[in-house]
Amino acid sequence: MKLIASLKIWIVIYPSITLFLYLLGKSSLVLPLYQKTLLLTLTLVPWVVFIGVPFVDFIIRLLSTKIDKK
């Protein structure tokens, strides 16, 4: 179960971090590392916990019910 939970989180966090860093672009170069980290965690932790992982769970349930119906 922990492995599955880790995979779900990774599926959400990897593209989220990539997109976030892409959108920040060069504007984040002027920020010190601790400020970038704070900004990243302040936005991405709630995103992952309240939206990202529940969405992945919803998709998995949707796909598993379609497979069970066949």
Side-chain angles (χ1 to χ4, degrees), residues 1 9-10 26 29 31 33 37 44 53 59 67:
M1 292 305 281
I9 292 169
W10 185 84
K26 295 185 181 191
L29 292 177
L31 295 174
L33 179 61
T37 305
L44 291 181
V53 172
I59 297 297
I67 290 171

Side-chain angles (χ1 to χ4, degrees), residues 1-68:
M1 292 305 281
K2 286 185 180 186
L3 178 62
I4 292 172
S6 298
L7 289 173
K8 289 178 187 178
I9 292 169
W10 185 84
I11 287 170
V12 175
I13 199 78
Y14 181 80
S16 299
I17 290 172
T18 304
L19 179 64
F20 188 85
L21 290 173
Y22 175 77
L23 292 175
L24 276 180
K26 295 185 181 191
S27 63
S28 70
L29 292 177
V30 296
L31 295 174
L33 179 61
Y34 72 93
Q35 287 179 348
K36 283 190 268 191
T37 305
L38 178 64
L39 184 61
L40 196 68
T41 57
L42 282 174
T43 55
L44 291 181
V45 168
W47 159 256
V48 168
V49 171
F50 297 116
I51 299 167
V53 172
F55 180 71
V56 169
D57 286 336
F58 172 75
I59 297 297
I60 290 171
R61 277 194 310 272
L62 195 67
L63 291 173
S64 67
T65 57
K66 284 185 180 182
I67 290 171
D68 290 342

